[in-house]
Amino acid sequence: MQVSNSTGIVTPQCVHIDNPLQLKSGTLLDSYDLVYETYGNLNATKSNAILICHALSGNHHIAGVYADNLKQVGWWDNMVGPDKPIDTNKFFVIGVNNLGGCHGSTGPTSIDIKTGKPYGANFPIVTVEDWVTSQVQLANYLGIDQFAAIAGGSLGGMQALQWTLDYPERVRHALVIAAASKLTAQNIAFNDVARQAIITDKDFHGGDYYAQDTLPRQGLRLARMLGHITYLSDDSMAAKFGRDLRSGKISFGYGVEFEIESYLRYQGDKFADQFDANSYLLMTKALDYFDPASAYGNNLSAAFHAVKSNFLVLSFTSDWRFSPERSRDIVKALLDNAINVSYAEITSSHGHDSFLMANKHYHQLMRAYMDNIEI
Amino acid sequence: MQVSNSTGIVTPQCVHIDNPLQLKSGTLLDSYDLVYETYGNLNATKSNAILICHALSGNHHIAGVYADNLKQVGWWDNMVGPDKPIDTNKFFVIGVNNLGGCHGSTGPTSIDIKTGKPYGANFPIVTVEDWVTSQVQLANYLGIDQFAAIAGGSLGGMQALQWTLDYPERVRHALVIAAASKLTAQNIAFNDVARQAIITDKDFHGGDYYAQDTLPRQGLRLARMLGHITYLSDDSMAAKFGRDLRSGKISFGYGVEFEIESYLRYQGDKFADQFDANSYLLMTKALDYFDPASAYGNNLSAAFHAVKSNFLVLSFTSDWRFSPERSRDIVKALLDNAINVSYAEITSSHGHDSFLMANKHYHQLMRAYMDNIEI
C-alpha cells in the first residue's frame, strides 16, 4: 500500500485516567478517557515533546492518515511532520482530543457508567483550565515533566496560554496563534446565536437526543454556517465567491442561488453529520468563559505574573474573529512581565482560517522558532 | 389627551392599486394595497413631497404616534417632524409600507382573493425595482409628478437610488444613507443563514404556517439575533455590554449568562412576535438581488448614465454591514457621470444602526441638505 502523506499512517491511542478531575463548575469527574495521537519519537531525556491543542471543531488527528482511510488527513498536516515547520524528525508531537469532545475522549456521547446511557445534557461544562488539568494527566502518563513547547491556534492558543499560567515550570515555549485573551461581546454574541440554533432545534430534546434516536441537525448546521462566516474574511469571501450565481441566473426562490449559499450549506450539512451538538455547545462555552485577567481585576499583565515560558504570538491581518489587536494585548501583557516574546502580524487574506493554511511567511516564522528550540 | 410627540397623532391610510404590476420574477400581481402615512401638507404646486423608503424591518410609520398607542413612535421620528432635519413645516413627507411587507400593504399574510387564504409561500418574491414601480403608483394616486427628494437608509437607500435610475425625471434629490450598490458575499451569507434558520424551523411548513395556526418563531428569532450583531459595531457592543454577566457570576449552564445574550434573545423574541417570517424572507432576497451594475457589465458608472437627480450620500465609520467603502463606490460612480453629489463619512461608534440615531453631525448634514432644497 502506497501512502503519499509524509507522516504516513498513524493510529490513535487511548488512556484511561482514574484520577478524579475537579472541574471549575464544581462537578467531580471520577475518571475519563483521553484519545491522542503521537508523531515522531520521544527522546531519552524526554525533552523534545510538543503538545498541540485543538480549536473548536478540531481533534487529536493532527497529521498523517489512517490505515482504513487514507483520505482522512490530520488538520495541521501542512505544519507537522518530517521536515515540516514542526519537524517530527526533531520533536515528539502529541495531539489530544479535548475532554467533552466527540472524537473518542470522554464527552456527552460517552456512556456514563452510573446510568449505562450517554451523558448527553448531564455532561458537565468544561473550561480551558479543565482541559489543561486533564492534559497534565496525559503528560504524566507519558512521563513528560516539561514540554519543549505547547502550541495551538484559536481556542488551541488559549489552552497553550493557560498552560503557562497554571504550570509555568512545565512549558518552555508557548505558541499562541490567532488567539485572544478573552472573547468580546460580539464573539459571545455569535456563539450564543449558534447555541440558540442548537438548543431550540426540535430534535435537541434538552440535550438528550441520543435516547430519541435523532440529532439536532438543523441547529448544528446553522451554527456551522454562521461559524464559517466568521472564520473567513470579507475579502476572501468576495474573492472566492463574490456574487457568482450557481446556475448563472436568479431563480426567484429560496433554493441555492449564490455560490456562497452553496458553500455554506454544504459546510453546514457536512459538519452536522460529523460533530456532536452537545460537544459544540460546551466548546463554545469554554471559549466564552476564558478570561485569565478576570481574577486579576481585568489586568492581563497581573494575570501573567507567574509566567516563565517563552512565547511566539502570531496573528493574521484579515482575522476579524480574533484580530491582531487581540494578539497585541497578549504581547503587551507579556512584555510588562519581561517575558521573552516573539510576535508577528502576518499578511493574509484568509481571515481566522489563516492559522490552518500553508502561508509561506507563517510557515517560515514557525520553522524559525521551532528550529531554535533547544532539546 | 396630551401627546408629547412633536408630530403628534398620525393615521395610516390605504390605497388599493388596480393597475396590474408586472414583477421582475415574471409574476403578474393583478392588484394590491399600499398602506402609507403622511406628515405635513402638500403645497399647491405639489413640489414639496418627500418619499421615505424603509429598510428590512421598517414600515410606513416614520414619525408621530397612534391615537390608540401613544408609545408607538415612528422609526425615524428623530429625523422627521416640525423643525426636525426633514422639516414637515416645509415638506410633505410620505412613508409607505413596502409590497410584500407585513404592516398592511399586500404581502404574504394578505388574503389572496383567488383562494380565500393567505398568500403565504405563494406570494411572489419582489425586488427593489418592483417596490419602486409600486411606489410610482402611490405617487400617481397622490398627484405627485416629481418628488423634491426620496430618502432612505440601508435597503431604503437602495430604493432611493433605484428611483433615480428608473424615474430620473421624478426625483430631484436622492438621499442614500448607509447603503450599498450591491451586497457582498459576506452580506449574502448572513442573509442565507437567517433564511435557513426560518425555512428549517419545524413550524415553517413550507411557508404556509398560517394554515397550521403556528409561526416559525424560533427561526425568525435566530434571524433577528444574527441581524442585530451585524447592525451594531464590535466597539458599541463592547462599550454597551462588554463581558458583563447578568447575575454577576458564571453559572455553567445554557441560560442567559452574559448581558449581550440577554439583549440579543430579548430582541429576537420581540421581533418574532411582531414580524412575518415570509416577509422577512422576501425582504432579504430583495437585498441580495439588488445590483444595478449587473446589467452594465458590473460597471456602476455605466449603470448611472441616465441619472439626473442630485445626491446626498452618507456613511458611518463603524458600519461594517455597509461600510463607508460601499458608499464611496456609489459616490465615485456618480462623479463619473458629473452628478451633483454631496458625501460625508460620519464618525459614529454605533455601526449600521447609526442611520437611525440622533447623531449631531448626521442631523446637521441632513438639515443643511434639506434646508437647501428648493420647493
Side-chain angles (χ1 to χ4, degrees):
Chain A
M1 183 170 49
Q2 201 177 352
V3 180
S4 63
N5 180 274
S6 67
T7 297
I9 289 169
V10 296
T11 309
Q13 296 170 266
C14 184
V15 56
H16 182 73
I17 310 281
D18 249 331
N19 208 354
L21 180 63
Q22 178 65 57
L23 300 169
K24 293 287 282 184
S25 66
T27 303
L28 191 75
L29 205 58
D30 290 337
S31 68
Y32 53 95
D33 290 338
L34 289 180
V35 166
Y36 65 101
E37 286 179 15
T38 67
Y39 322 92
N41 298 302
L42 189 59
N43 62 11
T45 56
K46 298 185 175 178
S47 68
N48 71 334
I50 308 285
L51 177 67
I52 292 178
C53 304
H54 69 74
L56 184 52
S57 60
N59 57 38
H60 53 284
H61 185 41
I62 288 166
V65 295
Y66 292 140
D68 62 355
N69 187 350
L70 297 179
K71 288 182 177 172
Q72 202 176 337
V73 180
W75 59 266
W76 223 9
D77 192 85
N78 61 31
M79 184 69 81
V80 175
D83 301 323
K84 293 183 181 175
I86 299 179
D87 188 349
T88 51
N89 293 323
K90 175 181 179 183
F91 295 110
F92 174 68
V93 178
I94 304 160
V96 57
N97 184 214
N98 281 358
L99 190 67
C102 54
H103 291 98
S105 293
T106 299
T109 59
S110 306
I111 300 297
D112 179 357
I113 50 166
K114 289 179 189 156
T115 64
K117 294 177 188 169
Y119 281 99
N122 288 328
F123 195 85
I125 290 183
V126 291
T127 64
V128 171
E129 297 97 307
D130 295 328
W131 284 330
V132 169
T133 311
S134 67
Q135 288 160 3
V136 166
Q137 298 298 315
L138 175 63
N140 292 347
Y141 169 78
L142 295 172
I144 297 162
D145 290 334
Q146 188 187 60
F147 284 101
I150 299 183
S154 192
L155 178 56
M158 293 172 172
Q159 294 164 64
L161 182 56
Q162 189 67 42
W163 262 95
T164 70
L165 304 179
D166 294 348
Y167 299 92
E169 308 285 358
R170 298 189 74 162
V171 195
R172 291 207 301 284
H173 297 270
L175 286 76
V176 177
I177 306 164
S181 66
K182 63 182 174 188
L183 264 58
T184 62
Q186 190 190 66
N187 293 148
I188 295 170
F190 278 122
N191 279 346
D192 198 50
V193 175
R195 283 191 294 264
Q196 290 295 303
I198 292 168
I199 287 170
T200 62
D201 186 314
K202 72 172 168 36
D203 291 324
F204 183 64
H205 299 287
D208 292 320
Y209 43 87
Y210 317 104
Q212 311 289 326
D213 201 23
T214 182
L215 292 169
R217 234 188 144 279
Q218 302 298 356
L220 191 55
R221 172 179 181 267
L222 289 170
R224 184 63 165 183
M225 289 175 72
L226 178 54
H228 254 281
I229 300 177
T230 70
Y231 305 150
L232 305 178
S233 73
D234 194 8
D235 284 348
S236 66
M237 281 177 116
K240 194 168 176 182
F241 306 104
R243 295 179 51 85
D244 293 351
L245 291 160
R246 189 100 175 122
S247 72
K249 63 180 176 59
I250 284 170
S251 59
F252 295 97
Y254 296 111
V256 165
E257 292 198 294
F258 292 92
E259 287 288 358
I260 181 63
E261 296 174 319
S262 171
Y263 172 80
L264 280 187
R265 294 185 197 182
Y266 172 77
Q267 294 295 338
D269 285 335
K270 195 172 70 167
F271 190 71
D273 286 334
Q274 292 174 347
F275 210 86
D276 176 61
N278 282 318
S279 285
Y280 196 83
L281 289 175
L282 68 83
M283 297 269 174
T284 64
K285 273 293 184 187
L287 272 164
D288 289 4
Y289 292 157
F290 184 70
D291 185 9
S294 66
Y296 294 86
N298 296 317
N299 182 336
L300 193 62
S301 300
F304 287 179
H305 70 96
V307 168
K308 294 184 174 177
S309 316
N310 302 300
F311 274 74
L312 174 65
V313 178
L314 296 177
S315 66
F316 300 92
T317 50
S318 59
D319 183 353
W320 62 282
R321 187 180 174 94
F322 296 146
S323 69
E325 195 184 347
R326 321 303 313 284
S327 285
R328 283 184 228 136
D329 291 342
I330 295 172
V331 172
K332 281 187 280 187
L334 291 169
L335 292 175
D336 282 342
N337 288 280
I339 299 296
N340 183 342
V341 53
S342 301
Y343 173 61
E345 194 171 315
I346 297 161
T347 301
S348 166
S349 64
H350 292 286
H352 190 58
D353 267 355
S354 300
F355 86 86
L356 296 167
M357 298 191 175
N359 175 299
K360 187 181 168 193
H361 186 199
Y362 173 36
H363 276 206
Q364 282 173 329
L365 291 175
M366 288 290 287
R367 185 183 294 277
Y369 196 89
M370 296 305 295
D371 276 359
N372 287 287
I373 291 179
E374 286 179 27
I375 57 171
Chain B
M1 182 171 52
Q2 203 178 349
V3 180
S4 63
N5 180 274
S6 68
T7 298
I9 288 169
V10 296
T11 308
Q13 296 170 267
C14 185
V15 56
H16 182 73
I17 310 281
D18 249 331
N19 207 353
L21 180 63
Q22 178 65 58
L23 300 169
K24 293 287 283 185
S25 65
T27 304
L28 190 75
L29 204 59
D30 290 336
S31 69
Y32 53 96
D33 289 338
L34 289 179
V35 167
Y36 64 100
E37 286 179 16
T38 68
Y39 322 92
N41 299 301
L42 189 60
N43 62 10
T45 55
K46 298 185 174 178
S47 67
N48 71 334
I50 308 284
L51 177 67
I52 293 178
C53 304
H54 69 73
L56 184 53
S57 60
N59 56 39
H60 53 285
H61 184 41
I62 288 168
V65 294
Y66 291 141
D68 62 356
N69 187 351
L70 297 180
K71 288 182 176 171
Q72 202 176 336
V73 181
W75 59 265
W76 224 9
D77 192 85
N78 61 31
M79 185 68 82
V80 176
D83 302 322
K84 291 183 181 176
I86 299 178
D87 189 349
T88 51
N89 293 322
K90 176 182 179 184
F91 294 110
F92 175 67
V93 178
I94 305 160
V96 57
N97 184 214
N98 282 358
L99 190 67
C102 53
H103 292 97
S105 292
T106 300
T109 59
S110 308
I111 300 296
D112 179 356
I113 51 166
K114 288 179 191 158
T115 64
K117 294 176 186 168
Y119 281 98
N122 288 327
F123 195 85
I125 291 183
V126 291
T127 64
V128 170
E129 296 98 306
D130 294 328
W131 284 331
V132 168
T133 311
S134 68
Q135 289 160 4
V136 166
Q137 297 300 314
L138 174 63
N140 292 347
Y141 168 77
L142 296 170
I144 298 162
D145 290 335
Q146 187 187 60
F147 284 102
I150 299 182
S154 192
L155 179 56
M158 293 172 173
Q159 293 164 65
L161 182 55
Q162 189 67 43
W163 262 94
T164 71
L165 304 179
D166 294 347
Y167 299 92
E169 308 285 357
R170 298 188 75 161
V171 196
R172 292 207 300 284
H173 298 270
L175 286 76
V176 176
I177 306 164
S181 67
K182 63 182 175 187
L183 265 58
T184 62
Q186 190 190 65
N187 293 147
I188 296 170
F190 278 122
N191 280 346
D192 198 49
V193 175
R195 283 191 294 265
Q196 289 296 303
I198 292 168
I199 287 170
T200 63
D201 185 315
K202 71 172 167 37
D203 292 324
F204 183 64
H205 299 288
D208 292 319
Y209 43 87
Y210 318 103
Q212 311 289 326
D213 200 23
T214 183
L215 292 169
R217 232 188 145 279
Q218 303 298 357
L220 191 54
R221 173 178 180 267
L222 289 170
R224 184 62 165 182
M225 289 175 72
L226 178 54
H228 255 281
I229 300 177
T230 68
Y231 304 151
L232 305 178
S233 73
D234 195 9
D235 285 347
S236 66
M237 282 178 115
K240 193 169 177 183
F241 306 105
R243 296 179 51 86
D244 293 351
L245 291 160
R246 188 102 175 119
S247 72
K249 62 180 177 58
I250 284 170
S251 58
F252 295 97
Y254 296 111
V256 165
E257 293 199 292
F258 292 92
E259 287 287 359
I260 182 64
E261 296 174 319
S262 170
Y263 172 81
L264 279 188
R265 294 185 198 182
Y266 172 78
Q267 294 294 338
D269 285 334
K270 195 172 71 167
F271 190 72
D273 287 333
Q274 293 173 347
F275 210 86
D276 176 62
N278 282 318
S279 285
Y280 197 83
L281 289 175
L282 69 82
M283 296 269 175
T284 64
K285 273 293 183 186
L287 272 164
D288 289 4
Y289 292 157
F290 183 69
D291 184 8
S294 65
Y296 294 86
N298 296 318
N299 183 337
L300 193 62
S301 300
F304 287 179
H305 70 96
V307 169
K308 294 184 174 177
S309 317
N310 302 300
F311 274 74
L312 175 64
V313 177
L314 296 176
S315 66
F316 299 93
T317 51
S318 60
D319 184 352
W320 63 281
R321 188 180 174 93
F322 295 145
S323 69
E325 196 183 347
R326 321 304 312 283
S327 285
R328 283 183 228 136
D329 290 341
I330 294 172
V331 172
K332 281 187 281 187
L334 291 169
L335 291 175
D336 281 342
N337 287 281
I339 298 296
N340 182 342
V341 53
S342 301
Y343 172 62
E345 194 171 313
I346 297 161
T347 301
S348 166
S349 64
H350 293 286
H352 189 59
D353 266 357
S354 300
F355 86 87
L356 296 167
M357 298 192 174
N359 175 298
K360 188 181 167 194
H361 186 200
Y362 173 35
H363 276 206
Q364 283 172 329
L365 291 175
M366 288 290 286
R367 186 183 294 278
Y369 195 89
M370 296 305 294
D371 278 359
N372 287 286
I373 291 179
E374 286 179 26
I375 58 172

